[in-house]
């Protein structure tokens, strides 16, 4: 099974079909990679950031505690974490 970093590296030159396949691979990793995904979300940009964010949303409720912890430790990341938590919970932004 490919590592999170290997998958993220492949995203650099991915077309939409490949991007979707790589996102699915990240989701298949499941909850074990949540800490790493949340860490990556704070440093990656562009297509990588979008795929990591969608992966966290798709993994669902298990992502929330990692997002909350990251938001407490990194105030610049707080709004991103809050947005994703609302998406996971299916809440409408105020």
């Amino acid at each position: 099974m490919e590592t999170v970093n290997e998958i993220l590296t492949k995203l650099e030159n991915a077309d939409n079909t490949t991007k979707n396949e790589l996102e699915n691979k990240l989701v298949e990793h499941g909850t074990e990679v949540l800490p790493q995904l949340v860490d990556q979300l704070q440093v990656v940009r562009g297509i990588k950031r979008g795929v990591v964010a969608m992966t966290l949303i798709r993994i669902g409720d298990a992502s929330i505690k990692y997002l909350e912890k990251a938001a407490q430790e990194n105030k610049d990341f707080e709004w991103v974490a809050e947005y994703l938590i609302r998406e996971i919970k299916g809440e409408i932004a105020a």
Side-chain angles (χ1 to χ4, degrees):
M1 191 175 251
E2 292 174 290
T3 68
V4 169
N5 286 336
E6 289 170 339
I7 294 170
L8 292 178
T9 299
K10 288 182 178 181
L11 280 168
E12 290 171 12
N13 301 308
D15 60 21
N16 279 340
T17 301
T18 305
K19 180 180 77 101
N20 291 338
E21 290 169 1
L22 293 170
E23 182 181 312
N24 288 337
K25 283 184 180 185
L26 287 172
V27 172
E28 287 169 12
H29 277 291
T31 57
E32 68 192 41
V33 295
L34 285 173
Q36 190 176 1
L37 289 173
V38 172
D39 287 345
Q40 286 296 311
L41 188 62
Q42 296 175 71
V43 294
V44 296
R45 296 289 175 257
I47 191 170
K48 290 181 184 181
R49 190 171 197 183
V51 169
V52 171
M54 280 306 302
T55 300
L56 291 168
I57 290 168
R58 288 179 59 196
I59 291 174
D61 289 340
S63 302
I64 293 174
K65 70 178 180 180
Y66 296 99
L67 289 166
E68 288 172 340
K69 183 176 186 286
Q72 289 173 349
E73 295 171 359
N74 179 357
K75 290 301 177 191
D76 292 335
F77 181 71
E78 191 172 20
W79 73 270
V80 175
E82 288 174 357
Y83 174 81
L84 292 177
I85 290 168
R86 280 195 306 270
E87 288 290 317
I88 292 165
K89 291 181 176 180
E91 295 174 4
I92 298 170

